[in-house]
């Protein structure tokens, strides 16, 4: 099987493309969470709103593809969402505590 899916049937090619779409949004979310380097800037950048947008997009895909995905693709999407949501919650909590720390520093 070639990397670009040349030897796959149409259904397998579509599943591969769907999983690549999931990966793209996963990478966008992980960059927004500051867990992956931005390839354009070579920097680790945190942007929780872009991470949330990518996670919400994957959640919407899950909703609109319900009952239409193979077990493998559905499981991959679910696992990806779970991982991203856990990482988002962790980073949002850090950001909240950092902003509280900044506010208490201003009171001094």
């Amino acid at each position: 099987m070639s990397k670009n899916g040349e030897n796959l049937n149409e259904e397998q090619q579509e599943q591969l493309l769907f999983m690549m779409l999931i990966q793209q949004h996963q990478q966008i979310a992980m960059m927004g969470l500051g867990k992956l380097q931005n390839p354009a800037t070579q920097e680790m950048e945190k942007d929780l709103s872009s991470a949330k947008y990518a996670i919400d997009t994957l959640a919407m895909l899950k909703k609109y593809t319900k009952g239409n995905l193979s077990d493998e693709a559905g499981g991959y999407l679910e696992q990806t969402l779970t991982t991203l949501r856990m990482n988002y919650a962790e980073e949002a909590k850090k950001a909240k505590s950092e902003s509280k720390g900044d506010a208490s520093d201003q009171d001094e």
Side-chain angles (χ1 to χ4, degrees):
M1 170 172 64
S2 71
K3 185 176 182 179
N4 61 4
E6 290 174 0
N7 297 329
L8 302 175
N9 66 37
E10 186 176 348
E11 186 177 331
Q12 290 170 323
Q13 287 176 354
E14 289 173 354
Q15 182 170 319
L16 178 62
L17 289 171
F18 185 78
M19 293 175 90
M20 290 170 66
L21 180 66
I22 294 169
Q23 285 179 332
Q24 288 174 337
H25 282 79
Q26 179 186 36
Q27 289 175 340
I28 291 167
M30 293 302 271
M31 280 188 286
L33 294 169
K35 309 262 183 187
L36 278 180
Q37 188 179 63
N38 182 329
T41 63
Q42 305 301 315
E43 300 287 330
M44 298 293 275
E45 303 165 352
K46 195 176 288 189
D47 180 359
L48 293 182
S49 64
S50 70
K52 184 178 183 322
Y53 178 78
I55 295 166
D56 290 348
T57 300
L58 288 174
M60 180 273 312
L61 280 172
K62 178 183 173 188
K63 176 182 174 183
Y64 281 93
T65 58
K66 186 176 182 176
N68 293 316
L69 296 178
S70 68
D71 289 344
E72 182 182 6
Y76 182 65
L77 178 55
E78 185 63 39
Q79 179 183 11
T80 300
L81 273 169
T82 299
T83 301
L84 291 175
R85 287 171 172 156
M86 288 173 49
N87 278 279
Y88 181 85
E90 178 183 313
E91 292 303 320
K93 184 178 178 181
K94 281 183 195 175
K96 189 175 182 179
S97 70
E98 287 170 3
S99 69
K100 282 184 179 180
D102 291 343
S104 66
D105 289 346
Q106 292 173 356
D107 292 340
E108 295 175 2

